[in-house]
Amino acid sequence: MIAPQDIASRDNPLIKRLRQLSQDSTAYRKQGQVWLEGEHLCLALLARGLRPAVAVFTESFWPQAEPVLRDAAPQVSRIPDHLMASLSGLESPARMGFLWTLPTQVEVNPSLPTVVLDRLQDAGNVGSILRSAAALGFAQVLAIKGTAALWSPKVVRAGMGAHFGLNLVEGLSHDDTKALTVPLLVTSSHAGDWLHKTTLPWPCAWVLGHEGQGVNPALMALAQQSVRIAQPGGEESLNVAAAAAICLHASATTR
C-alpha cells in the first residue's frame, strides 16, 4: 500500500487543480483530466479496468476506505475534511475522489450502436441519456457542438459511471455523423412510424434533439427512419431523457 501524502493548504497545486475541475464545466478540456467525486464513481472506474492518476481521501475516511480504493492509484493524498468540502459540488461532500486522465485521440467508430446528442443543453438530461445508453447496449455517444460538456461534473454525476463504458466524442458537426455506417433514427412528436409498431434496425444510431428546438433539419435529412412515441395521456411532448430511455429500450428488446 502506498503511503498517503498529507496536504493541508488550499494553495497546494493539486488542490488548485481539483478546485478548477470541480467548478469549471469545461476545465477538463484544457487539463485532460477529470475529478471523479465519491466512492460510487471511483468504484465504477475500477470496475471497467481503468486506473486513476491520483486518489484523494479525507482524513476521517482514510482508515475506513476499502483496500481496492486505497491501492488504486500510484499517487495518494490525504486532506482535511473541510478542504474536501471546498472541492465538492455536492450538498454532502464526498469522502474521497479520483483524478483520472482522459483517453486521447478519441474518434468516431462508424459501426457502433450510437446515440447522437444534437445540442442538448441540460446536464441532467445528458447524463441520464448516457446512463440509459450504457445500460441498454449502446456503445458510443456523439455530441454535436452546443451540447452540454460530456465530462462536466454535473454530467459525470448524472451518468453514475456510464461514461467509462462508452466511446464519447464531442464537439462534432452535423456532417460528422455521415461517418456512421449504421442507420440514423430520429424521433418526432408528430410524424413518423409508431415506435411500438415499427421494426427497428440493429445496430443503429438514435438522434436526440435540443430540448426546445428538437433535431436540426440537417440531421433530419440524413435519417433513414423517423419514429414517434405513443402518448395516450395527451401531453405535447416527453422530456428528452425519458424519450431516449423509451427508444433505446425498444432497440434493446428487438435486437
Side-chain angles (χ1 to χ4, degrees), residues 39 43 57 61-72 96:
E39 296 155 70
L43 289 171
F57 298 85
F61 182 59
W62 172 252
Q64 311 167 33
E66 297 179 51
V68 68
L69 294 172
R70 294 205 285 185
D71 299 337
M96 65 154 298

Side-chain angles (χ1 to χ4, degrees), residues 41-193:
L41 283 175
C42 293
L43 289 171
L45 180 79
L46 299 180
R48 290 285 181 176
L50 304 171
R51 291 292 179 269
V54 183
V56 181
F57 298 85
T58 61
E59 291 174 342
S60 63
F61 182 59
W62 172 252
Q64 311 167 33
E66 297 179 51
V68 68
L69 294 172
R70 294 205 285 185
D71 299 337
Q75 179 181 335
V76 181
S77 295
R78 184 170 53 190
I79 65 177
D81 290 45
H82 69 84
L83 198 53
M84 181 69 87
S86 74
L87 305 175
S88 179
L90 303 173
E91 290 185 12
S92 299
R95 303 182 295 177
M96 65 154 298
F98 284 164
L99 182 64
W100 182 57
T101 302
L102 289 166
T104 57
Q105 297 180 330
V106 181
E107 298 179 351
V108 176
N109 186 317
S111 60
L112 289 179
T114 297
V115 177
V116 179
L117 305 179
D118 180 23
R119 299 163 297 125
L120 272 70
Q121 297 183 340
D122 183 87
N125 283 338
V126 172
S128 177
I129 292 171
L130 264 61
R131 192 175 179 187
S132 293
L136 295 169
F138 288 77
Q140 177 170 253
V141 174
L142 308 181
I144 304 299
K145 291 176 184 176
T147 298
L150 296 188
W151 289 100
S152 67
K154 288 183 179 180
V155 174
V156 170
R157 286 197 295 271
M160 296 290 285
H163 286 67
F164 311 128
L166 296 166
N167 186 50
L168 301 174
V169 190
E170 58 182 352
L172 301 175
S173 69
H174 296 117
D175 283 344
D176 288 325
T177 61
K178 294 178 181 178
L180 294 171
T181 57
V182 296
L184 263 65
L185 310 180
V186 296
T187 59
S188 171
S189 299
H190 310 293
D193 304 322

Side-chain angles (χ1 to χ4, degrees), residues 30-41:
K30 294 180 181 178
Q31 296 198 25
Q33 294 181 311
V34 292
W35 169 236
L36 306 174
E37 186 178 354
E39 296 155 70
H40 178 89
L41 283 175

